[in-house]
């Protein structure tokens, strides 16, 4: 079984890409805090690359901006491609099949948030912070 569920914050505003045959797609990365602190007392963060297609991509791009807290369900996919230097690049990403919006920050906005809709969602986000470091992803 190939199934994954994650809750994290978007590291930047997602962008919708128009593809052939009226298909739309978006890439984004989620910052996900680990459940423990390292030897320096800091919470470490993982950055997970995600891909989403169709109406789900439309909704994420429309409603989510950098810092939005979302939950995703999907599957892990590995792929490879040749870069401009003829080097084979391998990638692992999550293909998003379902999304839950917990706390949204509008794209290109003043940082205002929409409140979580339940006490369960409030518990999930209580201790969640966006890391101070930005992830620099290679352009694909």
């Amino acid at each position: 079984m190939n199934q994954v569920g994650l809750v994290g914050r978007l590291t930047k505003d997602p962008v919708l890409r128009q593809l052939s045959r009226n298909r739309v797609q978006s890439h984004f990365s989620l910052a996900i805090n680990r459940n423990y602190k390292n030897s320096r007392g800091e919470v470490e963060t993982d950055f997970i690359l995600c891909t989403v297609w169709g109406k789900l991509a439309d909704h994420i791009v429309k409603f989510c901006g950098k810092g939005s807290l979302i939950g995703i369900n999907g599957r892990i996919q590995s792929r490879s491609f040749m870069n401009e230097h003829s080097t084979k690049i391998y990638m692992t990403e999550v293909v998003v099949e379902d999304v839950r919006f917990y706390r949204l920050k509008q794209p290109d906005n003043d940082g205002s948030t929409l409140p979580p809709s339940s006490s369960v969602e409030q518990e999930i986000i209580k201790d969640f912070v966006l890391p101070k470091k930005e992830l620099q992803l290679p352009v694909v």
Side-chain angles (χ1 to χ4, degrees):
M1 179 181 338
N2 182 355
Q3 186 175 10
V4 63
L6 302 168
V7 175
R9 292 194 183 272
L10 274 69
T11 60
K12 63 181 181 178
D13 289 347
V15 177
L16 195 65
R17 291 179 43 195
Q18 297 287 336
L19 304 173
S20 61
R21 299 183 198 153
N22 295 327
R23 294 182 61 174
V24 292
Q25 179 254 2
S26 183
H27 287 290
F28 59 89
S29 63
L30 281 183
I32 303 171
N33 290 348
R34 295 185 181 169
N35 292 334
Y36 58 89
K37 294 183 179 180
N38 63 20
S39 60
R40 296 182 305 268
E42 301 166 336
V43 175
E44 293 183 0
T45 304
D46 292 305
F47 297 91
I48 310 297
L49 183 61
C50 301
T51 300
V52 61
W53 296 87
K55 288 184 181 183
L56 219 47
D58 281 329
H59 292 312
I60 290 173
V61 170
K62 181 177 179 180
F63 296 112
C64 298
K66 177 181 177 179
S68 290
L69 182 64
I70 65 171
I72 62 167
N73 289 314
R75 60 184 168 79
I76 295 176
Q77 173 178 286
S78 297
R79 60 186 172 102
S80 63
F81 62 93
M82 298 295 278
N83 70 6
E84 64 275 1
H85 304 293
S86 298
T87 304
K88 194 168 194 174
I89 304 295
Y90 295 92
M91 292 184 64
T92 301
E93 62 193 348
V94 175
V95 177
V96 178
E97 297 169 345
D98 186 36
V99 65
R100 292 198 67 156
F101 301 111
Y102 292 111
R103 176 162 285 174
L104 301 180
K105 292 189 177 183
Q106 296 297 316
D108 298 320
N109 199 339
D110 59 359
S112 62
T113 62
L114 302 175
S117 60
S118 73
S119 61
V120 172
E121 291 170 359
Q122 289 173 353
E123 277 299 307
I124 290 172
I125 65 170
K126 182 175 74 173
D127 296 320
F128 198 96
V129 293
L130 186 64
K132 293 178 181 155
K133 293 186 237 175
E134 290 271 339
L135 176 65
Q136 299 297 321
L137 292 175
V139 177
V140 182

